[in-house]
Amino acid sequence: MLEEENIKQPPFDNESIKIKDVKANKEWSWQLFAAAVVGALGSSFLYGYNLSVVNAPSAYIQDLYNQSWSSRYNQTIANGTISLLWSVTVSIFAIGGLVGALVVIPMVNVLGRKGTLLLNNVFAIAAALLMSLARLANVPEMMILGRFIMGIDGGIALSTLPMYLNEISPKHIRGSLGQITAILICVGVFTGQVLGLHEIFGTESLWPCLFGVILIPALIQLMVMPFLPESPRYLLLEKQDTKKAEKAFRTFLGKSDVSQNIEEVLSETRIQRNTRLVSVFELFKTRSARWQIITVIVTMASYQLCGINAIWFYTNSIFKEAGIEPKNIPYITLSTGGIEILAAVVSGMTVEKLGRRPLLIGGFGMMTVFFGILTVSLTFQHRASWIPYLSIVCILSVIASFCIGPGGIPFVLVGEFFQQSQRSAAFMIAGSVNWICNFAVGLLFPIIQNGLNNYCFLVFATICLAAALYLYFILPETKNKTFMEIDQSFAKINKISSAITENENYSMEEKSIEQLEICASPALSNDKNENETVEQTCSV
């Protein structure tokens, strides 16, 4: 009888283990998704919203400049001066973004990830008040200053939010959760288009409300985020607060036993008891991170230089060439925003199945093809009545291709490529490249467009092709990999032996883990010298 029980027992145990594994693999809670959605609402949503919100009231804002100039100087402002002021209003958003990217390191290191997101709402609220009250005060400088401050908010948000999401996410949903950043950017762009319609806020009397709307996401984040935990990795590795880190892990992962997660964090990260954060200069000098840095720079530069901004510039004129009534074009343009959201959601649902690499390479590759077709269709659009509609299809296809991969995955990769001590500096580099290229596109695109006309899209096709080829030969797959495994994937291309890298990077980790365990529960020994050794170890 005993033998029969012993024979039957193993299948039962295996089934139990499978059930436990399924539960363990789940590792998420509603607080995790609340942190992602609320964080993105007050960050990436506002970034997307401010990209599109200035389009609808552009004529009214320029009228404000004209009226203010006339009241001050008793003369009508020159057309060239209005154009200059409007260009400054649009482009200063990127200058503010660069400033925000440069101040991220001290903010996230001192205030933490969550603390930085909360403080960043002060910039959003200040900018919203300045821009929404500019017409009432008849002070156009408030609009320009508000755009600059809103750019600072965007620069801080686009670096801090991906960092926060990357550090609170289990590795098996890290990519999907990171894609919430891209989805909310698209939702923000679409919301700006909808609210800018003439039937809502796109009128001379109501356009200031478009900028007052910025207050709502900022206030929501201010009310909700304080009740959500800080990044457990930040708490454990930079603040050495094991109790708060364990509590944060329990909240985000929805389970009581997080000892394995604590151990994984310590084993994946090059850390001793006192973490020393790496500066940007030191990161550039780090041989083992050389190609990670190059890949981040190439990816973030391609994100801005791939021509997506040029598509927005051409959309209205192409729709007009297709025979669509000018009064209906703003409503048709909403289809581009809808395509953006749909493609970003599809990317978020498939990134953990297909991986980052296929979506990025495929996205840039498809953009190359559709930019080529768009160039041909624009060149011959007067030859047949159906060709302008082909141009519309190409525009929607370029937008979809961008949002499927290049639109959100670059932000995920920055957090995955670097260790905890390097992550702040890496996001500062990525953010700086992003905003410098954003400004360069706004500055150079009119010159390129005037010089090449429809052939300007060949420039963007070349950039997309170069990005796809680079990523094909260099980028490793990071799906469902630990930070240690990703680091080892780059060891060969960095011309560093993976064994040497592992010994260099993680010999200190084992010592650190052992040290933390000893200090957490030091067992008293009869040996006086041994007790003194433990005390000295824990006092370091």
Side-chain angles (χ1 to χ4, degrees):
M1 194 69 181
L2 182 60
E3 292 177 355
E4 290 180 359
E5 289 178 358
N6 290 336
I7 292 173
K8 293 179 180 179
Q9 191 65 28
F12 178 80
D13 287 344
N14 289 339
E15 191 66 28
S16 299
I17 291 171
K18 288 180 181 178
I19 293 172
K20 289 179 181 178
D21 287 343
V22 171
K23 291 181 178 179
N25 288 335
K26 183 181 176 183
E27 289 192 351
W28 56 267
S29 65
W30 68 266
Q31 290 95 333
L32 178 64
F33 287 96
V37 173
V38 173
L41 185 65
S43 302
S44 53
F45 172 85
L46 287 182
Y47 168 74
Y49 182 79
N50 280 278
L51 287 179
S52 64
V53 72
V54 293
N55 294 331
S58 59
Y60 303 128
I61 295 174
Q62 292 178 57
D63 286 342
L64 170 64
Y65 293 162
N66 193 8
Q67 294 171 12
S68 176
W69 187 281
S70 298
S71 63
R72 291 179 186 180
Y73 305 108
N74 294 321
Q75 62 180 14
T76 303
I77 189 172
N79 291 333
T81 305
I82 286 186
S83 299
L84 177 62
L85 289 173
W86 178 244
S87 298
V88 170
T89 304
V90 174
S91 61
I92 204 168
F93 181 69
I95 301 297
L98 178 60
V99 172
L102 294 175
V103 301
V104 158
I105 285 185
M107 291 184 70
V108 296
N109 291 342
V110 175
L111 302 175
R113 284 56 164 151
K114 187 185 82 169
T116 300
L117 289 173
L118 284 171
L119 181 62
N120 198 34
N121 289 294
V122 174
F123 293 106
I125 292 171
L129 293 175
L130 284 169
M131 292 187 289
S132 60
L133 297 176
R135 179 174 177 271
L136 181 64
N138 198 31
V139 180
E141 291 83 358
M142 292 173 63
M143 176 62 64
I144 297 174
L145 179 60
R147 286 282 292 174
F148 175 73
I149 295 175
M150 200 65 232
I152 295 177
D153 174 271
I156 294 172
L158 288 189
S159 294
T160 307
L161 179 65
M163 194 186 310
Y164 181 60
L165 296 183
N166 198 281
E167 293 179 4
I168 69 175
S169 306
K171 64 181 180 180
H172 62 280
I173 61 169
R174 193 168 57 212
S176 296
L177 209 64
Q179 279 296 89
I180 290 179
T181 300
I183 294 172
L184 266 293
I185 289 176
C186 297
V187 173
V189 170
F190 184 71
T191 304
Q193 293 173 335
V194 172
L195 295 184
L197 293 175
H198 187 78
E199 290 80 1
I200 306 179
F201 294 139
T203 63
E204 186 175 3
S205 59
L206 294 177
W207 69 262
C209 297
L210 286 169
F211 300 98
V213 169
I214 295 171
L215 290 169
I216 299 174
L219 291 175
I220 290 174
Q221 190 177 84
L222 272 177
M223 291 187 293
V224 177
M225 285 291 287
F227 299 99
L228 298 170
E230 176 59 88
S231 161
R233 286 179 174 270
Y234 170 80
L235 293 171
L236 180 63
L237 302 176
E238 297 182 31
K239 292 300 181 182
Q240 289 85 47
D241 195 331
T242 305
K243 290 184 178 179
K244 286 187 177 179
E246 289 178 349
K247 184 178 180 181
F249 267 128
R250 291 191 190 101
T251 301
F252 285 133
L253 303 183
K255 61 180 185 178
S256 57
D257 184 8
V258 295
S259 57
Q260 183 179 353
N261 300 92
I262 295 290
E263 184 178 349
E264 285 179 358
V265 171
L266 293 175
S267 65
E268 289 173 359
T269 310
R270 287 176 286 178
I271 182 170
Q272 294 183 355
R273 184 165 178 81
N274 294 314
T275 302
R276 191 182 72 80
L277 299 174
V278 176
S279 68
V280 172
F281 181 69
E282 289 172 328
L283 183 57
F284 273 115
K285 289 171 56 179
T286 304
R287 183 181 172 187
S288 60
R290 181 179 302 165
W291 279 96
Q292 290 93 312
I293 296 172
I294 295 173
T295 302
V296 163
I297 291 174
V298 169
T299 308
M300 295 305 297
S302 302
Y303 170 79
Q304 287 292 347
L305 301 177
C306 67
I308 194 67
N309 293 331
I311 284 293
W312 292 116
F313 180 85
Y314 261 87
T315 299
N316 287 355
S317 61
I318 292 176
F319 284 167
K320 186 177 180 180
E321 289 288 342
I324 298 173
E325 291 290 331
K327 64 179 181 180
N328 294 328
I329 288 178
Y331 305 96
I332 304 299
T333 303
L334 293 180
S335 63
T336 60
I339 288 291
E340 273 193 308
I341 296 174
L342 180 61
V345 170
V346 170
S347 177
M349 295 173 63
T350 59
V351 67
E352 295 300 346
K353 295 181 180 180
L354 299 178
R356 287 73 157 141
R357 179 181 159 86
L359 290 178
L360 262 181
I361 297 173
F364 280 122
M366 288 189 294
M367 289 180 74
T368 303
V369 173
F370 289 119
F371 271 134
I373 299 174
L374 180 61
T375 302
V376 174
S377 64
L378 289 175
T379 303
F380 298 101
Q381 63 183 347
H382 299 295
R383 300 290 182 90
S385 60
W386 57 269
I387 294 181
Y389 293 97
L390 177 61
S391 300
I392 294 175
V393 172
C394 287
I395 284 180
L396 297 178
S397 299
V398 167
I399 292 172
S401 302
F402 174 79
C403 293
I404 284 175
I409 293 177
F411 298 99
V412 177
L413 292 181
V414 179
E416 291 183 328
F417 281 175
F418 298 93
Q419 300 294 334
Q420 184 76 18
S421 60
Q422 303 170 336
R423 197 165 291 140
S424 300
F427 270 101
M428 179 177 173
I429 294 170
S432 299
V433 172
N434 176 57
W435 289 102
I436 289 172
C437 291
N438 183 304
F439 180 74
V441 168
L443 186 67
L444 299 177
F445 175 70
I447 299 174
I448 296 173
Q449 192 271 328
N450 288 333
L452 299 177
N453 294 319
N454 296 335
Y455 295 101
C456 69
F457 289 110
L458 293 179
V459 175
F460 301 124
T462 303
I463 293 173
C464 291
L465 178 61
L469 291 174
Y470 174 88
L471 294 170
Y472 178 80
F473 289 107
I474 301 298
L475 180 67
E477 182 54 70
T478 61
K479 178 187 69 172
N480 204 28
K481 287 186 178 181
T482 65
F483 296 107
M484 184 190 301
E485 292 168 341
I486 296 170
D487 193 51
Q488 290 174 348
S489 298
F490 276 101
K492 184 176 181 180
I493 192 172
N494 283 319
K495 295 183 179 180
I496 297 176
S497 169
S498 59
I500 294 175
T501 303
E502 185 173 352
N503 288 334
E504 288 179 348
N505 292 349
Y506 308 112
S507 60
M508 291 188 298
E509 293 173 10
E510 296 179 359
K511 180 179 177 182
S512 177
I513 296 169
E514 181 181 352
Q515 181 179 337
L516 287 176
E517 291 175 348
I518 292 173
C519 297
S521 56
L524 293 178
S525 171
N526 294 327
D527 190 339
K528 181 179 178 181
N529 293 332
E530 185 178 342
N531 287 334
E532 289 178 355
T533 302
V534 171
E535 291 177 0
Q536 291 173 1
T537 301
C538 296
S539 64
V540 176

PDB file of all heavy atoms in Angstrom, residues 62 70 79 81 121 163 173 179-181 200 242 252 255 282 295 302 331 370 435 437 460 470 527 538:
ATOM      1  N   GLN A  62      -1.036  83.426 -33.449  1.00  0.00           N
ATOM      2  CA  GLN A  62      -0.355  84.456 -34.227  1.00  0.00           C
ATOM      3  C   GLN A  62      -1.134  85.772 -34.192  1.00  0.00           C
ATOM      4  O   GLN A  62      -0.535  86.857 -34.209  1.00  0.00           O
ATOM      5  CB  GLN A  62      -0.163  83.966 -35.664  1.00  0.00           C
ATOM      6  CG  GLN A  62       0.829  82.810 -35.761  1.00  0.00           C
ATOM      7  CD  GLN A  62       1.001  82.286 -37.163  1.00  0.00           C
ATOM      8  OE1 GLN A  62       1.357  83.034 -38.080  1.00  0.00           O
ATOM      9  NE2 GLN A  62       0.758  80.993 -37.362  1.00  0.00           N
ATOM     10  N   SER A  70       0.729  95.421 -31.713  1.00  0.00           N
ATOM     11  CA  SER A  70       0.053  96.671 -32.089  1.00  0.00           C
ATOM     12  C   SER A  70      -0.220  97.539 -30.869  1.00  0.00           C
ATOM     13  O   SER A  70      -0.060  98.773 -30.923  1.00  0.00           O
ATOM     14  CB  SER A  70      -1.264  96.353 -32.808  1.00  0.00           C
ATOM     15  OG  SER A  70      -1.037  95.629 -33.997  1.00  0.00           O
ATOM     16  N   ASN A  79       5.096  90.393 -41.274  1.00  0.00           N
ATOM     17  CA  ASN A  79       4.850  88.960 -41.464  1.00  0.00           C
ATOM     18  C   ASN A  79       6.063  88.115 -41.097  1.00  0.00           C
ATOM     19  O   ASN A  79       5.930  87.018 -40.527  1.00  0.00           O
ATOM     20  CB  ASN A  79       4.449  88.683 -42.918  1.00  0.00           C
ATOM     21  CG  ASN A  79       3.076  89.235 -43.252  1.00  0.00           C
ATOM     22  OD1 ASN A  79       2.233  89.376 -42.371  1.00  0.00           O
ATOM     23  ND2 ASN A  79       2.867  89.554 -44.515  1.00  0.00           N
ATOM     24  N   THR A  81       8.276  88.804 -38.847  1.00  0.00           N
ATOM     25  CA  THR A  81       8.408  88.753 -37.387  1.00  0.00           C
ATOM     26  C   THR A  81       7.433  87.755 -36.782  1.00  0.00           C
ATOM     27  O   THR A  81       7.777  86.996 -35.866  1.00  0.00           O
ATOM     28  CB  THR A  81       8.164  90.146 -36.777  1.00  0.00           C
ATOM     29  OG1 THR A  81       9.042  91.101 -37.392  1.00  0.00           O
ATOM     30  CG2 THR A  81       8.409  90.128 -35.280  1.00  0.00           C
ATOM     31  N   ASN A 121       5.304  67.317 -12.243  1.00  0.00           N
ATOM     32  CA  ASN A 121       3.976  67.896 -12.466  1.00  0.00           C
ATOM     33  C   ASN A 121       3.936  69.391 -12.175  1.00  0.00           C
ATOM     34  O   ASN A 121       3.064  70.097 -12.686  1.00  0.00           O
ATOM     35  CB  ASN A 121       2.947  67.169 -11.590  1.00  0.00           C
ATOM     36  CG  ASN A 121       2.674  65.765 -12.072  1.00  0.00           C
ATOM     37  OD1 ASN A 121       2.134  65.551 -13.146  1.00  0.00           O
ATOM     38  ND2 ASN A 121       3.068  64.778 -11.277  1.00  0.00           N
ATOM     39  N   MET A 163      12.425  54.559 -17.259  1.00  0.00           N
ATOM     40  CA  MET A 163      13.301  54.046 -16.218  1.00  0.00           C
ATOM     41  C   MET A 163      12.488  53.413 -15.091  1.00  0.00           C
ATOM     42  O   MET A 163      12.784  52.302 -14.617  1.00  0.00           O
ATOM     43  CB  MET A 163      14.153  55.204 -15.668  1.00  0.00           C
ATOM     44  CG  MET A 163      15.347  54.778 -14.828  1.00  0.00           C
ATOM     45  SD  MET A 163      16.199  56.204 -14.087  1.00  0.00           S
ATOM     46  CE  MET A 163      16.425  57.271 -15.510  1.00  0.00           C
ATOM     47  N   ILE A 173       6.972  40.670 -18.832  1.00  0.00           N
ATOM     48  CA  ILE A 173       6.039  41.676 -19.372  1.00  0.00           C
ATOM     49  C   ILE A 173       6.699  43.048 -19.450  1.00  0.00           C
ATOM     50  O   ILE A 173       6.024  44.056 -19.611  1.00  0.00           O
ATOM     51  CB  ILE A 173       4.742  41.765 -18.531  1.00  0.00           C
ATOM     52  CG1 ILE A 173       5.051  42.172 -17.089  1.00  0.00           C
ATOM     53  CG2 ILE A 173       3.967  40.477 -18.582  1.00  0.00           C
ATOM     54  CD1 ILE A 173       3.810  42.531 -16.299  1.00  0.00           C
ATOM     55  N   GLN A 179       5.673  49.562 -23.458  1.00  0.00           N
ATOM     56  CA  GLN A 179       4.974  50.091 -24.627  1.00  0.00           C
ATOM     57  C   GLN A 179       3.821  51.016 -24.244  1.00  0.00           C
ATOM     58  O   GLN A 179       3.288  51.726 -25.103  1.00  0.00           O
ATOM     59  CB  GLN A 179       4.443  48.962 -25.493  1.00  0.00           C
ATOM     60  CG  GLN A 179       5.481  48.335 -26.419  1.00  0.00           C
ATOM     61  CD  GLN A 179       5.991  49.312 -27.454  1.00  0.00           C
ATOM     62  OE1 GLN A 179       6.969  50.037 -27.213  1.00  0.00           O
ATOM     63  NE2 GLN A 179       5.353  49.366 -28.600  1.00  0.00           N
ATOM     64  N   ILE A 180       3.430  51.007 -22.977  1.00  0.00           N
ATOM     65  CA  ILE A 180       2.391  51.938 -22.533  1.00  0.00           C
ATOM     66  C   ILE A 180       2.848  53.372 -22.771  1.00  0.00           C
ATOM     67  O   ILE A 180       2.031  54.259 -23.059  1.00  0.00           O
ATOM     68  CB  ILE A 180       2.050  51.693 -21.043  1.00  0.00           C
ATOM     69  CG1 ILE A 180       1.311  50.357 -20.905  1.00  0.00           C
ATOM     70  CG2 ILE A 180       1.203  52.826 -20.471  1.00  0.00           C
ATOM     71  CD1 ILE A 180       0.936  49.997 -19.491  1.00  0.00           C
ATOM     72  N   THR A 181       4.159  53.606 -22.684  1.00  0.00           N
ATOM     73  CA  THR A 181       4.698  54.937 -22.990  1.00  0.00           C
ATOM     74  C   THR A 181       4.340  55.351 -24.415  1.00  0.00           C
ATOM     75  O   THR A 181       3.828  56.461 -24.650  1.00  0.00           O
ATOM     76  CB  THR A 181       6.231  54.940 -22.824  1.00  0.00           C
ATOM     77  OG1 THR A 181       6.565  54.597 -21.479  1.00  0.00           O
ATOM     78  CG2 THR A 181       6.811  56.306 -23.149  1.00  0.00           C
ATOM     79  N   ILE A 200     -15.190  71.889 -30.709  1.00  0.00           N
ATOM     80  CA  ILE A 200     -14.821  71.739 -29.293  1.00  0.00           C
ATOM     81  C   ILE A 200     -14.068  72.997 -28.822  1.00  0.00           C
ATOM     82  O   ILE A 200     -14.684  73.959 -28.398  1.00  0.00           O
ATOM     83  CB  ILE A 200     -13.996  70.450 -29.073  1.00  0.00           C
ATOM     84  CG1 ILE A 200     -14.761  69.246 -29.643  1.00  0.00           C
ATOM     85  CG2 ILE A 200     -13.707  70.231 -27.580  1.00  0.00           C
ATOM     86  CD1 ILE A 200     -14.045  67.922 -29.507  1.00  0.00           C
ATOM     87  N   THR A 242      16.212  47.617   2.346  1.00  0.00           N
ATOM     88  CA  THR A 242      15.700  46.302   1.976  1.00  0.00           C
ATOM     89  C   THR A 242      14.220  46.147   2.320  1.00  0.00           C
ATOM     90  O   THR A 242      13.455  45.558   1.558  1.00  0.00           O
ATOM     91  CB  THR A 242      16.510  45.197   2.689  1.00  0.00           C
ATOM     92  OG1 THR A 242      17.895  45.377   2.395  1.00  0.00           O
ATOM     93  CG2 THR A 242      16.078  43.815   2.227  1.00  0.00           C
ATOM     94  N   PHE A 252       3.860  45.389  -6.207  1.00  0.00           N
ATOM     95  CA  PHE A 252       3.845  45.346  -7.661  1.00  0.00           C
ATOM     96  C   PHE A 252       3.648  43.939  -8.217  1.00  0.00           C
ATOM     97  O   PHE A 252       3.016  43.753  -9.263  1.00  0.00           O
ATOM     98  CB  PHE A 252       5.136  45.938  -8.229  1.00  0.00           C
ATOM     99  CG  PHE A 252       5.209  47.436  -8.156  1.00  0.00           C
ATOM    100  CD1 PHE A 252       6.348  48.083  -7.689  1.00  0.00           C
ATOM    101  CD2 PHE A 252       4.132  48.219  -8.556  1.00  0.00           C
ATOM    102  CE1 PHE A 252       6.421  49.459  -7.627  1.00  0.00           C
ATOM    103  CE2 PHE A 252       4.189  49.607  -8.493  1.00  0.00           C
ATOM    104  CZ  PHE A 252       5.336  50.220  -8.022  1.00  0.00           C
ATOM    105  N   LYS A 255       2.538  39.173  -4.628  1.00  0.00           N
ATOM    106  CA  LYS A 255       2.846  37.942  -3.904  1.00  0.00           C
ATOM    107  C   LYS A 255       3.600  38.291  -2.623  1.00  0.00           C
ATOM    108  O   LYS A 255       4.201  39.374  -2.517  1.00  0.00           O
ATOM    109  CB  LYS A 255       3.673  36.992  -4.770  1.00  0.00           C
ATOM    110  CG  LYS A 255       5.020  37.533  -5.209  1.00  0.00           C
ATOM    111  CD  LYS A 255       5.759  36.516  -6.072  1.00  0.00           C
ATOM    112  CE  LYS A 255       7.159  36.999  -6.417  1.00  0.00           C
ATOM    113  NZ  LYS A 255       7.910  36.009  -7.217  1.00  0.00           N
ATOM    114  N   GLU A 282      31.981  58.854 -17.356  1.00  0.00           N
ATOM    115  CA  GLU A 282      32.468  57.521 -16.994  1.00  0.00           C
ATOM    116  C   GLU A 282      31.799  56.433 -17.828  1.00  0.00           C
ATOM    117  O   GLU A 282      32.440  55.444 -18.199  1.00  0.00           O
ATOM    118  CB  GLU A 282      32.219  57.262 -15.504  1.00  0.00           C
ATOM    119  CG  GLU A 282      33.103  58.084 -14.580  1.00  0.00           C
ATOM    120  CD  GLU A 282      32.698  57.940 -13.124  1.00  0.00           C
ATOM    121  OE1 GLU A 282      31.490  57.764 -12.860  1.00  0.00           O
ATOM    122  OE2 GLU A 282      33.585  58.019 -12.257  1.00  0.00           O
ATOM    123  N   THR A 295      24.405  51.877 -29.832  1.00  0.00           N
ATOM    124  CA  THR A 295      23.089  51.410 -30.274  1.00  0.00           C
ATOM    125  C   THR A 295      21.980  52.339 -29.790  1.00  0.00           C
ATOM    126  O   THR A 295      21.033  52.626 -30.538  1.00  0.00           O
ATOM    127  CB  THR A 295      22.843  49.980 -29.765  1.00  0.00           C
ATOM    128  OG1 THR A 295      23.879  49.119 -30.253  1.00  0.00           O
ATOM    129  CG2 THR A 295      21.497  49.452 -30.246  1.00  0.00           C
ATOM    130  N   SER A 302      17.504  57.797 -34.897  1.00  0.00           N
ATOM    131  CA  SER A 302      16.612  57.323 -35.959  1.00  0.00           C
ATOM    132  C   SER A 302      15.150  57.551 -35.596  1.00  0.00           C
ATOM    133  O   SER A 302      14.319  57.798 -36.478  1.00  0.00           O
ATOM    134  CB  SER A 302      16.861  55.829 -36.214  1.00  0.00           C
ATOM    135  OG  SER A 302      18.201  55.583 -36.569  1.00  0.00           O
ATOM    136  N   TYR A 331     -11.080  66.300 -39.961  1.00  0.00           N
ATOM    137  CA  TYR A 331     -11.740  65.073 -39.497  1.00  0.00           C
ATOM    138  C   TYR A 331     -11.068  63.838 -40.107  1.00  0.00           C
ATOM    139  O   TYR A 331     -10.920  62.812 -39.434  1.00  0.00           O
ATOM    140  CB  TYR A 331     -13.220  65.109 -39.859  1.00  0.00           C
ATOM    141  CG  TYR A 331     -13.935  66.334 -39.332  1.00  0.00           C
ATOM    142  CD1 TYR A 331     -14.117  67.464 -40.139  1.00  0.00           C
ATOM    143  CD2 TYR A 331     -14.395  66.374 -38.018  1.00  0.00           C
ATOM    144  CE1 TYR A 331     -14.751  68.597 -39.656  1.00  0.00           C
ATOM    145  CE2 TYR A 331     -15.037  67.505 -37.524  1.00  0.00           C
ATOM    146  CZ  TYR A 331     -15.211  68.614 -38.341  1.00  0.00           C
ATOM    147  OH  TYR A 331     -15.826  69.732 -37.856  1.00  0.00           O
ATOM    148  N   PHE A 370       7.610  52.138 -47.756  1.00  0.00           N
ATOM    149  CA  PHE A 370       6.471  53.044 -47.977  1.00  0.00           C
ATOM    150  C   PHE A 370       6.919  54.468 -48.282  1.00  0.00           C
ATOM    151  O   PHE A 370       6.228  55.194 -49.015  1.00  0.00           O
ATOM    152  CB  PHE A 370       5.538  53.015 -46.766  1.00  0.00           C
ATOM    153  CG  PHE A 370       4.780  51.728 -46.627  1.00  0.00           C
ATOM    154  CD1 PHE A 370       4.927  50.923 -45.507  1.00  0.00           C
ATOM    155  CD2 PHE A 370       3.929  51.299 -47.637  1.00  0.00           C
ATOM    156  CE1 PHE A 370       4.234  49.733 -45.386  1.00  0.00           C
ATOM    157  CE2 PHE A 370       3.231  50.109 -47.538  1.00  0.00           C
ATOM    158  CZ  PHE A 370       3.387  49.319 -46.406  1.00  0.00           C
ATOM    159  N   TRP A 435      16.202  64.881 -28.067  1.00  0.00           N
ATOM    160  CA  TRP A 435      15.750  66.271 -28.173  1.00  0.00           C
ATOM    161  C   TRP A 435      16.610  67.092 -29.133  1.00  0.00           C
ATOM    162  O   TRP A 435      16.104  67.989 -29.809  1.00  0.00           O
ATOM    163  CB  TRP A 435      15.717  66.914 -26.790  1.00  0.00           C
ATOM    164  CG  TRP A 435      14.608  66.374 -25.952  1.00  0.00           C
ATOM    165  CD1 TRP A 435      14.697  65.446 -24.948  1.00  0.00           C
ATOM    166  CD2 TRP A 435      13.216  66.698 -26.057  1.00  0.00           C
ATOM    167  NE1 TRP A 435      13.462  65.179 -24.429  1.00  0.00           N
ATOM    168  CE2 TRP A 435      12.531  65.931 -25.080  1.00  0.00           C
ATOM    169  CE3 TRP A 435      12.480  67.556 -26.872  1.00  0.00           C
ATOM    170  CZ2 TRP A 435      11.152  66.006 -24.903  1.00  0.00           C
ATOM    171  CZ3 TRP A 435      11.106  67.627 -26.691  1.00  0.00           C
ATOM    172  CH2 TRP A 435      10.458  66.869 -25.716  1.00  0.00           C
ATOM    173  N   CYS A 437      18.003  65.893 -31.863  1.00  0.00           N
ATOM    174  CA  CYS A 437      17.527  65.493 -33.194  1.00  0.00           C
ATOM    175  C   CYS A 437      16.138  66.053 -33.483  1.00  0.00           C
ATOM    176  O   CYS A 437      15.826  66.400 -34.628  1.00  0.00           O
ATOM    177  CB  CYS A 437      17.523  63.974 -33.309  1.00  0.00           C
ATOM    178  SG  CYS A 437      19.170  63.237 -33.326  1.00  0.00           S
ATOM    179  N   PHE A 460      14.661  60.397 -45.838  1.00  0.00           N
ATOM    180  CA  PHE A 460      14.163  59.653 -44.686  1.00  0.00           C
ATOM    181  C   PHE A 460      14.180  58.142 -44.946  1.00  0.00           C
ATOM    182  O   PHE A 460      14.433  57.355 -44.030  1.00  0.00           O
ATOM    183  CB  PHE A 460      12.753  60.121 -44.347  1.00  0.00           C
ATOM    184  CG  PHE A 460      12.660  61.583 -44.032  1.00  0.00           C
ATOM    185  CD1 PHE A 460      11.799  62.414 -44.733  1.00  0.00           C
ATOM    186  CD2 PHE A 460      13.460  62.140 -43.049  1.00  0.00           C
ATOM    187  CE1 PHE A 460      11.721  63.765 -44.457  1.00  0.00           C
ATOM    188  CE2 PHE A 460      13.389  63.495 -42.766  1.00  0.00           C
ATOM    189  CZ  PHE A 460      12.529  64.308 -43.466  1.00  0.00           C
ATOM    190  N   TYR A 470      21.693  48.514 -39.446  1.00  0.00           N
ATOM    191  CA  TYR A 470      22.507  48.559 -38.218  1.00  0.00           C
ATOM    192  C   TYR A 470      21.921  47.631 -37.163  1.00  0.00           C
ATOM    193  O   TYR A 470      22.635  46.824 -36.549  1.00  0.00           O
ATOM    194  CB  TYR A 470      22.579  49.990 -37.686  1.00  0.00           C
ATOM    195  CG  TYR A 470      23.284  50.077 -36.344  1.00  0.00           C
ATOM    196  CD1 TYR A 470      24.665  50.235 -36.277  1.00  0.00           C
ATOM    197  CD2 TYR A 470      22.573  49.966 -35.145  1.00  0.00           C
ATOM    198  CE1 TYR A 470      25.325  50.299 -35.053  1.00  0.00           C
ATOM    199  CE2 TYR A 470      23.220  50.016 -33.923  1.00  0.00           C
ATOM    200  CZ  TYR A 470      24.595  50.182 -33.885  1.00  0.00           C
ATOM    201  OH  TYR A 470      25.247  50.224 -32.676  1.00  0.00           O
ATOM    202  N   ASP A 527      33.366  32.594  18.684  1.00  0.00           N
ATOM    203  CA  ASP A 527      34.685  33.102  18.313  1.00  0.00           C
ATOM    204  C   ASP A 527      34.654  34.627  18.306  1.00  0.00           C
ATOM    205  O   ASP A 527      33.963  35.248  17.495  1.00  0.00           O
ATOM    206  CB  ASP A 527      35.078  32.574  16.936  1.00  0.00           C
ATOM    207  CG  ASP A 527      36.543  32.878  16.609  1.00  0.00           C
ATOM    208  OD1 ASP A 527      37.102  33.801  17.223  1.00  0.00           O
ATOM    209  OD2 ASP A 527      37.096  32.165  15.738  1.00  0.00           O
ATOM    210  N   CYS A 538      30.039  44.752   8.097  1.00  0.00           N
ATOM    211  CA  CYS A 538      28.775  45.468   8.025  1.00  0.00           C
ATOM    212  C   CYS A 538      28.942  46.962   8.207  1.00  0.00           C
ATOM    213  O   CYS A 538      28.037  47.733   7.924  1.00  0.00           O
ATOM    214  CB  CYS A 538      27.794  44.932   9.081  1.00  0.00           C
ATOM    215  SG  CYS A 538      27.345  43.213   8.792  1.00  0.00           S
TER     216      CYS A 538
END
